[in-house]
Amino acid sequence: MIRLVPNHAPAIRRSEKVHFTFDGQSYEGHVGESLVSALTRAGHLSLRGAPVDGAPRGAFCCMGLCQECAVIVDGQVVEACRTDVSADLVVERVR
Amino acid sequence: MSTHHDIAVIGAGPAGGNAALVAARAGLDVVLLDEQPVPGGQVWRGKSPSIHSAPQTPESQSGDALRQALTESAVEQLTDARVWDIRRQDDRWALQVLRNGESHEVAASALILATGAREYVQPVPGWTTPGVIGLAGATALFKQSLTLPGTRTVVSGTGPLVFYVASEIRRLGGEVAAVVTPNTRGEWARALPAMAGQPRLLGRGALWVADLMLARVPILWGHAISEVFGGNSVTGVRARRLGENDPGQEFSADSVCVGHGLIPQIEAAQMLGVHILHDPALGGWVPEVQPDGATRVDGLYLTGDGCGIRGATAAALQGVLTGARVARDMGKSTHMPSLRPWRRAAKFGRAMTALSQPRASVAALTTDETIVCRCESLRRADILAEIAIGAQSTNAVKSGRRAGMGPCGGKYCQTAIAALIAAQTGKPLSEIAPPTPRPPLRPVPLSQAAGDFDYDDLPIPKPAPL
Amino acid sequence: MTQAIPYDIAIIGGGIMGCATALRVAEGGMTAIVLDQGDLGQGASGVNAGTLSLQIKRVKLMPYALRGHHLWEQMGDAVGFAKTGGFTLAFTPREADMLHERQTLKAEAGAPIEFVANNRLRDAEPHLTHKVQAASFCAEDGYANSSLTGRYYRGRLQDANIPYREGCKVTAIKEGAPFELSTPQGTIRATRILLAAGAWLKPLAALLNVDLPVNARVNTVSVTERMPPLIRSVIGHATGLLTMKQKANGTVLIGGGWQGRGTPQEGRGTVDAHTVRPNLALAQYAVPALGSARVLRSWTGFEANVPDFYPLAGPLPGVPGAFVLGCVRGGYTIGPYIGQLMGDSILGREPEMPLFDPGRDFEKDTA
């Protein structure tokens, strides 16, 4: 099939893969990519329950505004879209 | 502890980056702050360190050029820096900046706000399902991480961004289930004259659409997503023809990218006393500002899409204008560039923004049970009930129902709520101002805002009268 | 756009005091209209920290505050009322002395305040710092949600068929029988007027060539996002530099009279990071686990006062038919009650408790 927009995926070189955990489960991510990027690639989209009704929510604006991707790292609520993957990072759900 | 500069620029996108460069070249001491790890803003967002190499795009090339110019310049760059408060302190601006888990103060004689835009998304049933992200959010994922939103994605929304996102998904090896856009081919045809001045951008857009058609991706003109299906994640959508009693068609997908136009981020300017005006052709509420960025507030300048959505090309040109204006105001003999290139680029940008103007047929997709305020899980019916008992302003709805009191601060509900108030009260949108913005500009961990504290330093006041 | 029959009274200022007075005079058979330059209840009535604490009330105002508490309790859920009890903390021996001296006088004035031992404090509030030297407790203390003030009184006025106009700033007042008030929504005529415009009393009275010596404090309040349960009671500090409460929804509200900037005449006040930071630091000092909470919003509200820090409640000097109500220290707590007293007085009835003559000598500490 003719493509006017080429497929660049094979030409992308990424950093090494490391393991991190989210909500007790192990995931793989590339060092330095955002948690949202790594978890999205892993197909794990639900990052927390909505504060009022507990309904599943995930990354939405991906630019640090909407706060839907709030997770906990080192006891502090952070935005998963602005937090980088590193080896053995422990990420928890906001309760 | 405070460092003082001639100029602080907040936002290192096309506008802020160029303003900083021009002012620094005029001999001024400039600090450029941005919350991203590298300059570029949303449109020229830089790659994360996880990307060792990847093919270039026009956006990455423009971004790299800006980043290189900044690196070679005398501009001091503060990246990963979140400005959470700005105040006039005597003859200077005092910025509270969160960086590396600590808050410190940056001071400057002049301040340029280049705060850019955020996205409006019309609420529809299921839009809070994980896997639904904004069109602009999708571009952030592409540019920063070269990551796809899913394996099969429905892309929906207004203006050129919907085609850009669909095309980028294909470029990164993903599958587009459908493109759904409220715009009609007629609307695009009418926008053509304004686009003729930017043939390169016009050509790119034509290529995206042609590629999608060759790949037999369904393009639904005059349509919108009326419902998103799924629980813990998206399983599909329903798309309906607008303005007709159309049962719609369903597409299976594990992800949705959706957006209905960009909105200028005016909160910081508002907090500093800049008057705002309503101009739908520029994305809604815009600050009162001169083309070169000057405002009525002494020492305060605004530039780029934060002044009204005119697009990246115009933003970069306006940044140059603003940098020159500030330099001149600060006593440097600077060449003032012509306004003409900016006006030409702005004409194109305005035509694109016009494609995203609010339309009743899209607003009608929000049902009574649809969540409007994501932070507080408030449904349209909740908002309407508040209006019915007398709330006539976004502030009143905020006070009564907490719509806008959650972590996003109303950024993702106030536009829909203002439209509901206007529809219910019959007032024009220009009379429904956004809610009063409050600092901090972003959520701040309390310990980091508080900083070091010695109890003995507390300034104990005179006891209150007994 | 002049109405045919003048209202019996036009009330300028749709905060707690103006609305409470309107409801009272309407019950007494008067026709009233409430005018506000913004929305109802969006001034100090709607942006204060919502603390209902007898421990921070003035001794002479205690009887008013006790009745105010009773009214808030009656308003209940509609205003987010919660009687949680409140602790006032001292962290140094000097603060402990001050706490003891002041709370003893307030207890004598009728507030059920007691001093509590540390073990009882820790049982009640396990997340509090262990650095507390002394604490007082008042079971009557609690809070209401000031954000709901506007919505609450809008409903009460509607139910009582009292007209109100929002976004209706009075720009000129013509004395006479009746008064004529110029507003963007036309001229409003009323036989009497009540100035109840909080921090804006001074410019408002100036329209009648009366100089009220009203000053405004610019109090700052901050709120965090939802947190797991950390504190159950209203927490205060012996110096007054901290008030803190956790709402049922988990958000923590932090105040303490730290001063922002701006004046009522300029419009809104603005938060000053240099005062917010120590306010937050003191909150974290009291409840260390607050350190990880994210602060979502800080804002300011104007608290009006006159030099003797007692209310203005009575006839406006030199202008027959004009009244003034405001500058009540602890006005959120006392407002609903003193509004009733003001209403009774306007109706020509003897109020249950004395009002506060706006024509008094403000340099003397007598009310």
Side-chain angles (χ1 to χ4, degrees):
Chain A
M1 195 181 0
I2 304 169
R3 290 184 66 118
L4 298 179
V5 173
N7 180 356
H8 280 166
I12 300 167
R13 300 282 168 266
R14 298 179 192 265
S15 63
E16 60 171 313
K17 277 191 172 176
V18 293
H19 286 273
F20 67 96
T21 64
F22 175 56
D23 201 19
Q25 263 192 291
S26 183
Y27 293 90
E28 269 188 343
H30 295 279
V31 174
E33 74 175 323
S34 72
L35 285 170
V36 163
S37 169
L39 288 167
T40 298
R41 195 173 320 99
H44 190 119
L45 302 175
S46 173
L47 302 182
R48 65 165 189 156
V52 175
D53 58 13
R57 296 287 175 86
F60 178 63
C61 81
C62 302
M63 55 180 76
L65 296 175
C66 75
Q67 307 301 319
E68 290 279 36
C69 68
V71 295
I72 295 179
V73 173
D74 288 337
Q76 179 63 58
V77 174
V78 296
E79 296 134 359
C81 69
R82 297 184 73 244
T83 304
D84 290 348
V85 168
S86 58
D88 304 322
L89 186 72
V90 177
V91 186
E92 297 161 88
R93 282 173 77 96
V94 175
R95 302 282 170 198
Chain B
M1 192 188 67
S2 168
T3 49
H4 187 268
H5 302 267
D6 292 329
I7 303 173
V9 184
I10 300 178
N18 277 296
L21 282 172
V22 170
R25 282 175 194 145
L28 292 161
D29 165 23
V30 182
V31 60
L32 175 62
L33 303 105
D34 197 285
E35 53 186 339
Q36 291 185 37
V38 293
Q42 298 303 336
V43 67
W44 296 344
R45 186 182 269 267
K47 295 182 184 73
S48 86
S50 70
I51 306 301
H52 286 173
S53 71
Q56 291 280 23
T57 65
E59 285 74 27
S60 73
Q61 283 167 333
S62 297
D64 286 348
L66 177 69
R67 286 181 280 274
Q68 186 172 347
L70 285 167
T71 304
E72 290 166 0
S73 77
V75 174
E76 183 185 337
Q77 299 180 48
L78 284 185
T79 53
D80 273 324
R82 257 193 164 165
V83 178
W84 60 273
D85 187 53
I86 311 167
R87 293 297 143 204
R88 188 74 174 177
Q89 208 81 42
D90 304 321
D91 60 345
R92 59 177 58 179
W93 297 100
L95 282 51
Q96 306 302 319
V97 182
L98 212 58
R99 200 165 181 244
N100 302 323
E102 281 181 25
S103 184
H104 67 283
E105 188 168 299
V106 171
S109 303
L111 175 64
I112 301 175
L113 297 178
T115 46
R118 62 170 176 266
E119 191 165 41
Y120 179 63
V121 180
Q122 181 71 39
V124 295
W127 75 306
T128 55
T129 309
V132 179
I133 63 173
L135 288 177
T139 70
L141 269 185
F142 304 151
K143 291 167 187 169
Q144 187 167 337
S145 313
L146 282 71
T147 296
L148 290 163
T151 59
R152 183 177 148 85
T153 308
V154 172
V155 186
S156 175
T158 50
L161 200 53
V162 68
F163 295 104
Y164 172 71
V165 167
S167 175
E168 282 294 281
I169 288 173
R170 289 190 32 78
R171 188 178 71 83
L172 296 174
E175 183 189 352
V176 179
V179 173
V180 182
T181 177
N183 296 125
T184 60
R185 273 169 284 204
E187 286 169 10
W188 277 103
R190 284 190 288 280
L192 273 175
M195 293 159 68
Q198 303 282 332
R200 198 178 55 86
L201 294 175
L202 184 57
R204 272 184 88 194
L207 183 99
W208 299 334
V209 175
D211 174 70
L212 289 163
M213 289 169 74
L214 271 176
R216 298 186 191 285
V217 173
I219 300 179
L220 283 70
W221 305 93
H223 280 64
I225 291 177
S226 60
E227 189 173 1
V228 179
F229 307 115
N232 269 321
S233 60
V234 170
T235 56
V237 305
R238 185 194 312 279
R240 269 173 46 187
R241 181 177 289 282
L242 288 169
E244 285 176 29
N245 199 6
D246 172 27
Q249 45 186 310
E250 292 185 13
F251 294 91
S252 69
D254 63 3
S255 46
V256 175
C257 303
V258 58
H260 298 98
L262 302 181
I263 302 174
Q265 300 223 85
I266 59 173
E267 288 78 11
Q270 269 184 287
M271 282 182 205
L272 299 181
V274 177
H275 184 64
I276 59 170
L277 313 158
H278 193 258
D279 186 345
L282 287 176
W285 288 95
V286 295
E288 189 183 47
V289 59
Q290 300 295 314
D292 61 11
T295 71
R296 289 176 198 233
V297 179
D298 198 29
L300 179 65
Y301 302 81
L302 313 174
T303 195
D305 272 358
C307 303
I309 308 299
R310 297 178 176 91
T313 308
L317 291 164
Q318 195 176 21
V320 171
L321 290 169
T322 306
R325 170 66 192 252
V326 180
R328 198 187 69 184
D329 288 355
M330 296 186 85
K332 300 291 176 187
S333 55
T334 308
H335 162 71
M336 281 305 292
S338 158
L339 283 177
R340 204 171 302 141
W342 172 73
R343 286 200 202 284
R344 200 180 307 130
K347 190 178 169 198
F348 176 85
R350 283 180 76 110
M352 297 301 98
T353 302
L355 290 164
S356 294
Q357 287 203 29
R359 54 188 84 207
S361 57
V362 173
L365 297 170
T366 304
T367 65
D368 271 356
E369 295 305 310
T370 306
I371 285 173
V372 171
C373 163
R374 301 172 68 103
C375 293
E376 297 289 326
S377 297
L378 293 166
R379 304 161 308 144
R380 178 180 184 264
D382 300 322
I383 307 298
L384 291 180
E386 198 63 20
I387 298 167
I389 62 167
Q392 305 282 298
S393 67
T394 54
N395 276 329
V397 172
K398 177 179 172 182
S399 295
R401 295 309 296 244
R402 293 185 53 79
M405 289 189 182
C408 94
K411 293 183 181 71
Y412 287 90
C413 66
Q414 65 188 38
T415 306
I417 289 172
L420 289 174
I421 295 171
Q424 297 299 307
T425 62
K427 289 188 201 169
L429 270 176
S430 58
E431 286 179 23
I432 316 288
T436 311
R438 312 282 198 195
L441 291 160
R442 302 280 185 273
V444 188
L446 188 144
S447 62
Q448 295 174 21
D452 291 337
F453 173 71
D454 185 345
Y455 189 83
D456 296 331
D457 290 344
L458 264 188
I460 304 293
K462 198 176 75 178
L466 259 170
Chain C
M1 210 168 93
T2 308
Q3 87 264 15
I5 306 168
Y7 292 98
D8 290 330
I9 185 165
I11 294 169
I12 308 170
I16 293 169
M17 293 181 215
C19 290
T21 307
L23 290 165
R24 192 66 155 199
V25 296
E27 279 168 24
M30 282 190 179
T31 57
I33 183 169
V34 178
L35 312 173
D36 198 289
Q37 62 178 353
D39 289 343
L40 294 187
Q42 294 279 356
S45 300
V47 298
N48 72 85
T51 309
L52 300 170
S53 170
L54 297 175
Q55 298 184 74
I56 56 175
K57 294 298 171 292
R58 296 197 69 177
V59 169
K60 279 185 191 163
L61 295 182
M62 200 61 75
Y64 301 82
L66 283 160
R67 283 169 177 79
H69 268 238
H70 184 63
L71 291 177
W72 281 103
E73 191 162 4
Q74 287 178 342
M75 293 185 256
D77 286 345
V79 291
F81 174 84
K83 190 191 280 188
T84 57
F87 290 99
T88 303
L89 312 178
F91 294 120
T92 67
R94 193 174 147 262
E95 288 170 10
D97 289 347
M98 189 164 80
L99 183 74
H100 205 269
E101 180 200 327
R102 296 171 71 86
Q103 303 302 49
T104 300
L105 286 170
K106 292 177 189 194
E108 285 167 10
I113 297 170
E114 55 187 318
F115 294 94
V116 293
N118 255 348
N119 55 356
R120 195 178 141 198
L121 178 65
R122 280 181 205 171
D123 284 350
E125 296 292 355
H127 291 282
L128 273 187
T129 173
H130 289 186
K131 293 172 185 164
V132 177
Q133 297 254 334
S136 58
F137 178 73
C138 178
E140 277 298 306
D141 288 0
Y143 62 83
N145 182 354
S146 72
S147 300
L148 296 177
T149 300
R151 155 198 243 239
Y152 174 78
Y153 278 108
R154 212 179 274 122
R156 289 285 308 271
L157 295 181
Q158 288 167 2
D159 290 346
N161 286 317
I162 300 171
Y164 62 86
R165 302 225 180 128
E166 298 180 298
C168 189
K169 184 184 169 128
V170 174
T171 53
I173 304 175
K174 195 171 145 206
E175 273 185 67
F179 290 90
E180 290 187 2
L181 312 181
S182 304
T183 81
Q185 299 178 31
T187 300
I188 287 157
R189 302 191 311 147
T191 311
R192 303 168 191 82
I193 56 172
L194 171 68
L195 314 186
W200 286 269
L201 275 177
K202 191 181 175 72
L204 187 60
L207 297 178
L208 291 161
N209 297 312
V210 176
D211 183 28
L212 290 176
V214 175
N215 301 305
R217 283 170 57 78
V218 192
N219 294 334
T220 308
V221 185
S222 301
V223 67
T224 72
E225 67 185 319
R226 288 175 163 84
M227 292 292 288
L230 287 174
I231 45 174
R232 296 174 201 153
S233 333
V234 173
I235 303 294
H237 185 237
T239 63
L241 288 174
L242 178 68
T243 68
M244 190 161 52
K245 61 197 70 80
Q246 186 169 25
K247 299 289 187 68
N249 65 18
T251 61
V252 180
L253 211 54
I254 299 164
W258 293 80
Q259 293 298 288
R261 302 192 301 171
T263 64
Q265 284 83 344
E266 290 165 2
R268 286 177 183 275
T270 54
V271 171
D272 184 346
H274 292 148
T275 56
V276 170
R277 297 188 71 178
N279 190 186
L280 298 176
L282 185 56
Q284 186 185 355
Y285 184 87
V287 179
L290 265 181
S292 66
R294 293 192 306 170
V295 178
L296 295 188
R297 269 172 296 127
S298 297
W299 64 93
T300 58
F302 291 120
E303 180 191 33
N305 57 60
V306 286
D308 66 5
F309 290 96
Y310 283 109
L312 297 177
L316 186 70
V319 186
F323 301 84
V324 58
L325 175 60
C327 298
V328 183
R329 198 174 172 82
Y332 184 65
T333 304
I334 297 173
Y337 179 65
I338 203 165
Q340 293 184 353
L341 298 182
M342 188 77 228
D344 285 339
S345 172
I346 292 168
L347 288 166
R349 301 171 183 167
E350 184 64 28
E352 185 182 42
M353 279 204 266
L355 289 172
F356 298 81
D357 179 11
R360 67 183 179 269
D361 177 358
F362 292 106
E363 302 307 319
K364 285 197 227 153
D365 184 13
T366 50

